[in-house]
Amino acid sequence: MRLIGKIMLLAGIAAFTGPAQAQDNNLGVFRHLGADLNVGTEGIGISIASPVTNYLELSLGVDFMPGFKLSGDVDVDDIHYNYTDPTTGANVPQTIPMSQVNISGKLSRTVCSFKASVYPFGAKNDWFVAAGFSFGGKKIAKLSGHSDDVQHFMSRTDVPDAAKKRIYAEIDKYQVDFDDNGDISGDVRVKAFRPYLGLGWGRQVPKTHRLGFRVELGCQFMGKMKVYQNDKEVNINDLGKKGDDDLSDFIDKVRIYPVVKFSLTGRIL
């Protein structure tokens, strides 16, 4: 995060140490405006930007992520409970085998962002380093799944309620509960405020033409993903066993969201 702070400091220095150059080139905040339409790993986005000097541009944008699914077969442990024989009154150990359940995570989100793009070589070329932040809803994915085995087990009247409450699916280290119909629902959350760092080529406000092109590579620091049900973070399995499905791997390992963005830029003023 120190590198992001240094880049933001450099952006501030560029804004306040180049007033003479800004006047010569008729620059300054809101003296020129540009807009772009972009597509990439953050989805489809639009933004507006203004050059402060030849070394600095400021931009504000919004990205819409169309929903796409990531799914995996996750483990459901066998159920062990004691059945009371009505004839003898004895407790008889019972085991109900459970199969895996397929759980889908539908990722969709809308994110706003503010960025400062620093051009170290000024008007000589269009290479830049960008820093800023993105902010939006904490929920980035909805979880859903169904198990016929669990639905059948939940409908049995000879099984104690305590045994039914012990059924869960394991996603990474999280225990996600089933409802009485054998369904799973929940969501995955990250930090609402996410710092950003990137680099690329191209200006959001073209200098010599009305239209331009810009490419950007970066990363969004979103932190550890957490699984919630009914607005509460679900319990973590003390056994520490991790799933080997794609969905579990995604939730366990992804903390930095990669950004690849291609933009068609245009000068408005």
Side-chain angles (χ1 to χ4, degrees), residues 45 109 125 265:
R109 59 180 180 170
N125 64 52
T265 63

Side-chain angles (χ1 to χ4, degrees), residues 70-220:
L70 182 68
S71 63
D73 293 323
V74 301
D75 293 330
V76 180
D77 291 343
D78 295 343
I79 305 302
H80 304 279
Y81 70 98
N82 290 328
Y83 168 72
T84 302
D85 191 308
T87 303
T88 63
N91 289 328
V92 181
Q94 299 287 319
T95 298
I96 306 296
M98 289 290 169
S99 60
Q100 290 184 323
V101 59
N102 184 269
I103 296 181
S104 296
K106 184 177 181 180
L107 284 77
S108 61
R109 59 180 180 170
T110 300
V111 177
C112 298
S113 61
F114 173 79
K115 296 178 183 177
S117 298
V118 176
Y119 296 83
F121 304 103
K124 294 181 179 180
N125 64 52
D126 293 339
W127 290 103
F128 69 88
V129 179
F133 56 86
S134 298
F135 53 94
K138 294 182 179 180
K139 298 179 182 179
I140 66 167
K142 293 182 178 179
L143 300 178
S144 61
H146 176 79
S147 170
D148 290 334
D149 288 342
V150 174
Q151 183 181 21
H152 175 71
F153 181 76
M154 290 292 195
S155 67
R156 292 179 54 174
T157 58
D158 61 329
V159 176
D161 290 340
K164 294 181 179 180
K165 293 180 179 179
R166 294 204 302 268
I167 304 179
Y168 61 85
E170 185 172 311
I171 304 177
D172 187 26
K173 294 181 180 180
Y174 293 95
Q175 298 177 353
V176 184
D177 297 327
F178 290 87
D179 63 17
D180 293 340
N181 295 318
D183 295 324
I184 279 180
S185 62
D187 56 78
V188 180
R189 304 184 187 184
V190 295
K191 295 178 180 178
F193 181 88
R194 301 182 277 273
Y196 174 83
L197 184 64
L199 54 85
W201 183 90
R203 294 183 184 264
Q204 290 179 286
V205 185
K207 295 179 65 64
T208 59
H209 300 88
R210 280 289 180 180
L211 296 178
F213 179 76
R214 175 181 167 104
V215 60
E216 185 173 350
L217 304 175
C219 51
Q220 192 182 105

